[in-house]
């Protein structure tokens, strides 16, 4: 069982790095790798819907680097629902499905702060699931990502304010 949590903690470390990125492309690449580790982690914990959801997230995050809109949202939403039908276990297994559907639409149509707010809400769904299903690495990742998203939103806002202040100084001069 320890090696299963270890696989999850590798995903956690990669996900932590990804969550700290201000550039969406680097964030998407990091999360795609992290979620492949979480796919294995949840599959070994016998959390089938979470494993299927993590796999979809990994693939979607990778593709979100170059694709967005309906070309991502529609097939991944359909795939999530089909996989959910075949992997449903209990109420808690619906939390990853909810996170996948919300994040699929969010990553297809938003960027920057709005994207991070959407992903923040998905972390709460995963936190409910991971706590109930015994994914220690997932629970730690969820709590960390909630903190990291809050910090990153603050950092982006701070950078935007500094840029606006610098522009005002340039215009005044």
């Amino acid at each position: 069982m320890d090696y299963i949590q270890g696989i999850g903690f590798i995903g956690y470390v990669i996900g932590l790095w990804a969550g700290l990125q201000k550039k969406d492309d680097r964030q998407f690449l990091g999360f795609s790798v992290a979620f492949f580790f979480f796919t294995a982690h949840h599959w070994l914990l016998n959390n089938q819907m979470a494993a299927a959801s993590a796999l979809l997230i990994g693939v979607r995050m990778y593709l979100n680097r170059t694709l967005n809109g309906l070309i991502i949202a529609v097939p991944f939403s359909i795939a999530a629902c089909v996989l959910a039908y075949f992997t449903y276990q209990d109420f808690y297994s619906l939390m990853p499905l909810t996170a996948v559907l919300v994040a699929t639409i969010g990553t297809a149509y938003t960027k920057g702060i709005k994207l991070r707010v959407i992903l923040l809400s998905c972390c709460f769904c995963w936190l409910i699931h991971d706590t109930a299903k015994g994914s220690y690495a997932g629970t730690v990742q969820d709590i960390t990502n909630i903190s990291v998203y809050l910090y990153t939103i603050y950092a982006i806002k701070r950078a935007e304010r500094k840029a606006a202040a610098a522009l005002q100084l340039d215009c005044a001069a």
Side-chain angles (χ1 to χ4, degrees):
M1 186 77 147
D2 290 339
Y3 75 94
I4 296 172
Q5 297 298 337
I7 291 169
F9 277 107
I10 292 170
Y12 163 74
V13 170
I14 296 167
L16 177 61
W17 175 84
L20 289 169
Q21 302 308 302
K22 290 182 187 176
K23 296 186 179 200
D24 294 340
D25 184 61
R26 290 169 68 183
Q27 180 185 42
F28 288 156
L29 180 60
F31 276 134
S32 67
V33 174
F35 273 97
F36 287 123
F37 280 95
F38 276 107
T39 298
H41 170 73
H42 285 295
W43 182 72
L44 292 167
L45 285 174
N46 197 33
N47 297 330
Q48 290 99 358
M49 191 177 291
S53 296
L55 179 61
L56 278 177
I57 292 168
V59 172
R60 188 199 67 229
M61 285 288 199
Y62 183 79
L63 293 175
N64 274 134
R65 296 170 60 232
T66 55
L67 302 172
N68 57 29
L70 288 176
I71 200 163
I72 288 289
V74 171
F76 278 89
S77 295
I78 292 169
C81 291
V82 169
L83 286 170
Y85 176 79
F86 289 107
T87 61
Y88 175 81
Q89 293 171 294
D90 56 26
F91 168 78
Y92 294 110
S93 67
L94 294 176
M95 294 295 105
L97 172 64
T98 302
V100 167
L101 292 174
V102 170
T104 296
I105 302 303
T107 57
Y109 293 106
T110 63
K111 299 283 183 207
I113 291 175
K114 287 181 183 178
L115 171 65
R116 281 150 182 89
V117 170
I118 288 169
L119 295 176
L120 181 65
S121 69
C122 295
C123 288
F124 284 105
C125 291
W126 276 102
L127 180 62
I128 292 166
H129 171 272
D130 291 340
T131 302
K133 294 293 190 167
S135 172
Y136 305 131
T139 300
V140 171
Q141 167 136 3
D142 303 331
I143 292 168
T144 302
N145 279 347
I146 288 166
S147 302
V148 167
Y149 280 133
L150 290 172
Y151 171 77
T152 305
I153 290 167
Y154 167 76
I156 292 170
K157 281 299 245 185
R158 186 179 64 208
E160 288 174 354
R161 281 194 294 267
K162 282 184 181 180
L167 184 60
Q168 282 183 333
L169 288 176
D170 286 345
C171 291

